[in-house]
Amino acid sequence: MQQDLIILSEYCTQGNIEPSFIRLLEEEGMIHIIIQEGEPYLYSSELNDVERFSRMYYDLSINMAGIDAINHLLKRVTRMQSEISTLKKLLQIHESNTTESPPDLS
């Protein structure tokens, strides 16, 4: 499976992001950096997370511990929303089965 990679130095230059910030994210386990031929790369699938983290860090002045806590809570909310959606579907199925008329036993 081929994943798109973004050259870290180019991303940082274009986004006005310090490479040390990206390294901090990796050290905290929030993103993954891969080294190929001596060059660090970001997975393109993680760009949304990196952008969200950088807005928190640069625009809102939230430290790494705060970003990590917020990220954890956002993931938890997402899982809970998915679970609620599944439970609603199951409830609808259950309600549709119980509203049908009972079988005639005569």
Side-chain angles (χ1 to χ4, degrees), residues 19-76:
S20 59
F21 171 70
I22 302 295
R23 280 189 232 96
L24 281 173
L25 291 174
E26 182 188 33
E27 288 171 9
E28 293 293 324
M30 299 169 76
I31 63 167
H32 301 90
I33 294 175
I34 185 169
I35 307 292
Q36 288 187 350
E37 299 176 11
E39 185 77 36
Y41 290 85
L42 288 169
Y43 290 106
S44 61
S45 60
E46 294 185 318
L47 285 181
N48 286 338
D49 290 338
V50 172
E51 290 175 9
R52 184 170 10 104
F53 300 148
S54 66
R55 283 192 303 272
M56 287 184 216
Y57 186 77
Y58 290 107
D59 297 345
L60 301 175
S61 300
I62 299 173
N63 64 18
M64 291 307 279
I67 292 171
D68 188 36
I70 290 168
N71 186 48
H72 173 73
L73 291 172
L74 288 173
K75 285 181 180 180
R76 196 167 169 193

Side-chain angles (χ1 to χ4, degrees), residues 62-100:
I62 299 173
N63 64 18
M64 291 307 279
I67 292 171
D68 188 36
I70 290 168
N71 186 48
H72 173 73
L73 291 172
L74 288 173
K75 285 181 180 180
R76 196 167 169 193
V77 166
T78 301
R79 283 193 307 267
M80 290 173 75
Q81 286 173 332
S82 176
E83 185 177 342
I84 288 169
S85 177
T86 301
L87 290 171
K88 281 182 177 181
K89 289 176 186 175
L90 289 172
L91 181 60
Q92 287 174 347
I93 291 170
H94 177 72
E95 286 177 342
S96 69
N97 288 339
T98 58
T99 58
E100 294 176 5

Side-chain angles (χ1 to χ4, degrees), residues 4-21:
D4 294 332
L5 299 174
I6 309 296
I7 299 173
L8 180 62
S9 60
E10 289 183 18
Y11 178 76
C12 289
T13 301
Q14 290 179 1
N16 294 323
I17 297 173
E18 300 167 18
S20 59
F21 171 70

